[in-house]
Amino acid sequence: MFVLMILACSDKGEELQEPSVQHYEASSLITLEDSGMEFEEGYWVRRTMNPSENSIFEEFVSSIDGTLITYTYRVDIEAKTFEIDFSDEKYSGNGTFVGEGLDWSSWSSTSTHRDGNYVQSEDSMEAQGIIQSSKVGYSSADSVDWRLEEELLPITQEEYEQALSLFEE
């Protein structure tokens, strides 16, 4: 009987630890500091929050050519900090967050490129699940190179899959 109770409690705990997936359409505006030139970029994003591993995995697929960029956030829940692993391994990053577990209301990070350039990012989860992001790219000499404003609007899994199907052939 005691073993059954332990198993029942264990099963319930595992149910609560299931990953959750969110899908977004992202639009970015990048402004080069020296020239003032602006570029727009779009992405389809899948964000998987995995409480059993204290991690968040983000996949950004370019809406132009289907290029995939991934980010893994390894989270220290108690310290409210995280480290970021980039798929291209050219950057390393870390940051802090406000929130409980993987349910964050805001987060900030610094990511450093192998060449010494770095990016400071401020992100927030707004009403209706919209993510707002502001990033500033700096040279290794600490001068501003570019600024990025990004908005991630929630979409359905079906909309996400339909968008990605454009790149399948």
Side-chain angles (χ1 to χ4, degrees):
M1 178 77 158
F2 180 68
V3 172
L4 288 175
M5 285 182 69
I6 290 174
L7 288 174
C9 291
S10 153
D11 286 345
K12 278 187 179 178
E14 287 176 18
E15 284 177 27
L16 297 175
Q17 298 297 310
E18 287 294 314
S20 65
V21 179
Q22 301 162 336
H23 300 89
Y24 297 90
E25 180 179 2
S27 56
S28 304
L29 178 64
I30 302 164
T31 305
L32 301 180
E33 194 67 17
D34 287 342
S35 66
M37 288 184 68
E38 294 184 339
F39 301 92
E40 291 184 17
E41 291 183 335
Y43 295 93
W44 304 104
V45 181
R46 178 171 38 207
R47 191 167 197 255
T48 304
M49 299 188 309
N50 192 339
S52 65
E53 295 180 4
N54 290 336
S55 68
I56 298 173
F57 182 67
E58 294 180 336
E59 300 165 272
F60 279 68
V61 179
S62 169
S63 61
I64 296 170
D65 62 7
T67 301
L68 173 66
I69 304 166
T70 65
Y71 309 94
T72 302
Y73 298 77
R74 292 177 287 114
V75 182
D76 182 331
I77 300 292
E78 288 183 23
K80 295 191 182 262
T81 61
F82 57 88
E83 293 182 7
I84 311 167
D85 297 326
F86 295 78
S87 57
D88 67 5
E89 299 181 353
K90 293 179 183 175
Y91 281 89
S92 60
N94 58 58
T96 60
F97 66 90
V98 175
E100 295 301 319
L102 300 179
D103 185 20
W104 302 352
S105 58
S106 63
W107 55 102
S108 59
S109 63
T110 300
S111 301
T112 305
H113 193 273
R114 285 186 264 176
D115 65 8
N117 293 345
Y118 62 98
V119 177
Q120 291 185 327
S121 180
E122 297 290 330
D123 302 84
S124 61
M125 181 70 73
E126 305 294 330
Q128 294 132 1
I130 297 171
I131 296 175
Q132 297 286 342
S133 181
S134 294
K135 299 179 187 324
V136 179
Y138 293 89
S139 71
S140 56
D142 293 331
S143 63
V144 174
D145 286 338
W146 53 267
R147 297 176 189 278
L148 177 142
E149 294 298 321
E150 187 170 61
E151 182 174 68
L152 283 73
L153 300 174
I155 60 173
T156 66
Q157 180 176 346
E158 183 180 330
E159 290 169 316
Y160 175 82
E161 289 172 357
Q162 184 176 16
L164 294 189
S165 71
L166 301 173
F167 300 109
E168 296 173 1
E169 292 195 18

